[in-house]
Amino acid sequence: QVQLVESGGGLVQAGGSLRLSCAASGRTFVSYVMGWFRQAPGKEREFVAAITESGDSTYYATSLKGRFTASRDNGKNTVYLQMNSLKPEDTAVYYCAARKGSYWGEYEYWGQGTQVTVSS
């Protein structure tokens, strides 16, 4: 069982930056691939980024590559999402999630989400 708690969301102006954090419970954090997803009002949830167990590989939605960076600190059981050059269309609830195996597939555990609002 893994429990995930996101933090770091908020209101930011376009062009600004935010860093989201996701703290995981349990001693098996290093066994999980961690993903970031987002869901805007009226839209389906979409993949944002993922990072492998050791943190040596990251994957991004094509449209976000270059602005968003995923990282993790296994010693702190925490994964991060650094978001730069934010745009109003980045406004969404951001979720972290955990799964074993490939970064692409159904994620087993989910956090409650954190709201990110980008004003123009």
Side-chain angles (χ1 to χ4, degrees):
Q1 187 85 10
V2 177
Q3 293 184 327
L4 304 172
V5 179
E6 302 96 336
S7 61
L11 174 65
V12 63
Q13 288 189 330
S17 298
L18 279 176
R19 189 177 80 154
L20 305 183
S21 299
C22 173
S25 66
R27 296 176 293 176
T28 60
F29 177 71
V30 296
S31 301
Y32 289 87
V33 170
M34 299 300 297
W36 286 99
F37 295 79
R38 69 184 184 183
Q39 187 166 20
K43 295 188 176 181
E44 293 187 353
R45 186 171 60 199
E46 64 174 347
F47 170 79
V48 172
I51 185 166
T52 54
E53 297 89 331
S54 64
D56 58 357
S57 294
T58 51
Y59 305 89
Y60 299 95
T62 303
S63 61
L64 301 176
K65 206 169 185 178
R67 294 196 298 122
F68 288 17
T69 303
S71 61
R72 66 191 293 165
D73 185 336
N74 287 340
K76 295 182 178 180
N77 279 16
T78 302
V79 61
Y80 305 97
L81 183 68
Q82 178 67 42
M83 307 186 294
N84 298 328
S85 302
L86 285 163
K87 305 174 182 180
E89 51 263 43
D90 294 319
T91 295
V93 177
Y94 284 71
Y95 301 89
C96 68
R99 75 183 305 270
K100 290 190 175 182
S102 169
Y103 81 96
W104 194 255
E106 188 169 345
Y107 279 70
E108 187 175 2
Y109 301 104
W110 292 83
Q112 84 290 349
T114 185
Q115 176 71 48
V116 171
T117 303
V118 184
S119 64
S120 57

